[in-house]
Amino acid sequence: MERYNLVVIGGGSGGLVVAAGGVGLGARVALVEKHALPFTPPDGPPVQGMGGDCLQYGCVPSKALLAAAKAAHAARFGIRGAGDPGPQDLGPVMERVRAAQAAIAPNDSVERFTGLGVDVLLGAGRLKSPHEVEVNGTTVWGRNVVVATGSRARIPDVPGLADSGFLTNESIFDLRVLPKRLLVMGGGPIGVELGQAFRRLGSEVTIVSSSAHVCPKEDADVAAVLAAALRDEGVVVHDDARASSVAVRGGARVVAVTRKDGTSVDVETDAILVAAGRRPNVEGLGLEAAGVAFSEKAILADAKCRTNVPSVWAIGDVAGPYLFTHWAGYQAGIVLRNTLSPIALAKCDVENTPWVTYTDPEIARVGLSEEDAKAQGVPHRVFQAAFAHNDRAICDGTGGANFAKVVIDPKGRILGAAIVHPHAGDLLGEVVLAKKNGLPLSALGSVIHPYPSLSEIHGAVAREALKTSLTPGRKALLVKLAAFLRR
């Protein structure tokens, strides 16, 4: 039986970081992956691309699709007034998506990782014991086993849905003909990103959101800016609603959309995208045999990424609590420190994890939202600044209703922040750095930001907080001091 320091099950973003980092630190590593896709990079030989959901069905193809949709949107509303160019030919768009994947695939390929010294075992991995993993009938032994098998779309139990046919984030990129009408089940990040993209490419899009507003993890005022933008572009959004049944009539799918108030409306559509949450890939892993605890939501792991079985670790979507590529990569670093380093065990920094919804405008978040702080009874104050008063945003035409806000504690330390703007994701990093290092909001005001730049929004928020420190009593003292200095 081959023996390894690390046996990693799953070649997604988290698993790849563990594997590459492990061999880089001198460990012997086996990487088990059951789903590698062939790609032909523009300047190299064909490769077997791993990368999990991120490369194959998630971040990479969706962002390439969003870029194409943005280009179509710019043409439709461009300064030359070319008018609506009509629905796009989806074939070339998806070929561009595939090209973006192919350009990135070598970084995540079987060939690269084999070259790094990782033993890549193609096939489904199954735990036989806390240290043994079986792949294609062969068993390998690992001092530590890391489960990084990711997640997949959760399919709701809607009568008629399975019979009518539907798309998920895995199958939608196989389309080559633009659906005239697209109904999206789910108003979370995947639903709104792909819904907006297909609307900009020319589909008539309806989003059915079971929550009070799209992007339910965001504050209502933040989500409202995005919802207004979606509706302005022609997306029909049903809040507090669910798809209660699906039928096929005359070649079209008819979705009964039932609202929270009990009223219902039938929506005809040509395609249905299910984006109603995720479920962990735990089936067939042998978790029961190894004694690893898990639920329908995740493998149960602590802040060190360790399960109840000391030799088994879990990271990424299969463990949570966040389902982001960067979170999985971050957890991978925690596991490497905890399995290969003799120092004290490291813990995940959940409170300083940022995330971005890549719509237009984007929504970027870190830490507590305003609504979370209220619900949890956390003492706080909220300050915000509008991009309508930011000179660069005015020049770019991205002011509008977009804004940034920061939640602080009574001592001025940052508890959380949210930004809604087309470049929100790029702007969030400065706030994350300040929050992680315990800096007060005033620290953002002391930074010299270049003019004109969108980053000046941070100083603007800080100045809003500074204004509250100038009480009437303090101002009266300053007036007296100024008068004295004029003598």
Side-chain angles (χ1 to χ4, degrees):
M1 186 185 300
E2 295 289 340
R3 297 175 68 87
Y4 296 89
N5 299 97
L6 293 166
V7 176
V8 184
I9 306 176
S13 54
L16 293 180
V17 173
V18 172
V23 294
L25 294 171
R28 190 175 187 218
V29 181
L31 174 63
V32 183
E33 172 55 48
K34 68 177 182 180
H35 193 59
L37 293 181
F39 291 98
T40 302
D43 54 356
V47 298
Q48 297 179 82
M50 295 183 287
D53 199 67
C54 181
L55 174 67
Q56 298 173 2
Y57 311 118
C59 308
V60 173
S62 66
K63 301 313 168 278
L65 182 69
L66 290 172
K70 186 175 183 178
H73 183 68
R76 185 173 292 121
F77 300 105
I79 59 174
R80 291 178 295 178
D84 190 336
Q88 302 296 309
D89 183 348
L90 194 61
V93 171
M94 289 304 185
E95 288 306 313
R96 183 191 179 279
V97 169
R98 182 72 175 179
Q101 291 174 292
I104 294 171
N107 296 326
D108 299 345
S109 67
V110 172
E111 292 79 3
R112 174 175 179 253
F113 277 76
T114 299
L116 291 174
V118 177
D119 287 351
V120 180
L121 310 177
L122 294 178
R126 181 177 67 88
L127 283 161
K128 294 180 65 178
S129 76
H131 292 281
E132 296 173 303
V133 177
E134 182 183 59
V135 188
N136 298 331
T138 299
T139 301
V140 296
W141 184 93
R143 174 69 179 173
N144 291 283
V145 177
V146 182
V147 181
T149 50
S151 66
R152 64 187 185 278
R154 183 182 68 83
I155 309 303
D157 186 16
V158 177
L161 177 62
D163 294 334
S164 68
F166 58 87
L167 301 164
T168 68
N169 68 297
E170 292 190 13
S171 56
I172 196 166
F173 298 106
D174 293 331
L175 292 179
R176 292 298 181 270
V177 177
L178 186 75
K180 183 176 185 297
R181 298 166 297 185
L182 175 68
L183 183 137
V184 181
M185 290 185 183
I190 295 175
V192 292
E193 285 183 11
L194 293 179
Q196 185 179 48
F198 273 83
R199 175 60 194 141
R200 288 182 163 191
L201 291 170
S203 295
E204 298 171 14
V205 175
T206 299
I207 295 177
V208 180
S209 174
S210 61
S211 52
H213 56 75
V214 295
C215 296
K217 292 185 179 181
E218 311 299 340
D219 285 338
D221 59 344
V222 173
V225 178
L226 172 59
L230 292 173
R231 290 186 169 104
D232 285 347
E233 293 181 21
V235 177
V236 176
V237 181
H238 294 283
D239 293 321
D240 274 331
R242 61 184 180 86
S244 53
S245 66
V246 182
V248 179
R249 299 176 195 161
R253 296 166 176 83
V254 180
V255 181
V257 177
T258 302
R259 304 185 184 94
K260 189 176 182 179
D261 61 10
T263 61
S264 184
V265 59
D266 286 347
V267 179
E268 286 195 4
T269 187
D270 301 298
I272 298 171
L273 169 64
V274 175
R278 309 287 293 175
R279 60 181 299 176
N281 293 326
V282 295
E283 295 80 5
L285 287 177
L287 298 175
E288 299 92 341
V292 177
F294 66 97
S295 69
E296 63 178 11
K297 294 184 177 180
I299 293 177
L300 304 183
D302 61 19
K304 305 178 185 75
C305 301
R306 185 174 241 164
T307 70
N308 62 303
V309 177
S311 61
V312 180
W313 309 74
I315 62 174
D317 285 13
V318 78
Y322 298 124
L323 277 63
F324 309 133
T325 294
H326 54 279
W327 174 251
Y330 168 74
Q331 285 185 309
I334 296 294
V335 166
L336 285 170
R337 290 172 61 186
N338 291 343
T339 57
L340 301 179
S341 173
I343 63 174
L345 292 181
K347 294 183 179 181
C348 291
D349 182 5
V350 177
E351 295 182 354
N352 293 300
T353 302
W355 66 82
V356 181
T357 299
Y358 291 95
T359 44
D360 185 7
E362 296 176 352
I363 296 176
R365 257 281 304 286
V366 66
L368 279 181
S369 70
E370 180 180 358
E371 292 176 6
D372 288 341
K374 291 178 181 177
Q376 296 174 24
V378 177
H380 67 282
R381 291 184 296 164
V382 180
F383 298 96
Q384 68 181 57
F387 281 97
H389 305 301
N390 176 279
D391 290 0
R392 178 60 184 270
I394 293 172
C395 294
D396 292 347
T398 60
N402 299 317
F403 65 93
K405 70 174 176 178
V406 178
V407 183
I408 64 173
D409 69 10
K411 293 184 178 181
R413 291 173 300 200
I414 299 171
L415 297 172
I419 305 174
V420 55
H421 183 272
H423 298 289
D426 294 325
L427 291 168
L428 186 65
E430 186 173 331
V431 186
V432 177
L433 181 64
K435 181 181 183 303
K436 182 175 178 61
N437 288 279
L439 299 178
L441 175 58
S442 59
L444 297 180
S446 67
V447 174
I448 302 175
H449 296 97
Y451 175 89
S453 71
L454 298 172
S455 63
E456 289 182 287
I457 198 71
H458 301 308
V461 177
R463 286 192 294 275
E464 290 302 311
L466 182 62
K467 290 176 184 178
T468 64
S469 66
L470 188 60
T471 63
R474 288 179 179 177
K475 186 172 183 179
L477 287 175
L478 290 174
V479 169
K480 291 180 179 179
L481 175 63
F484 173 78
L485 293 173
R486 289 196 301 271
R487 293 179 181 177

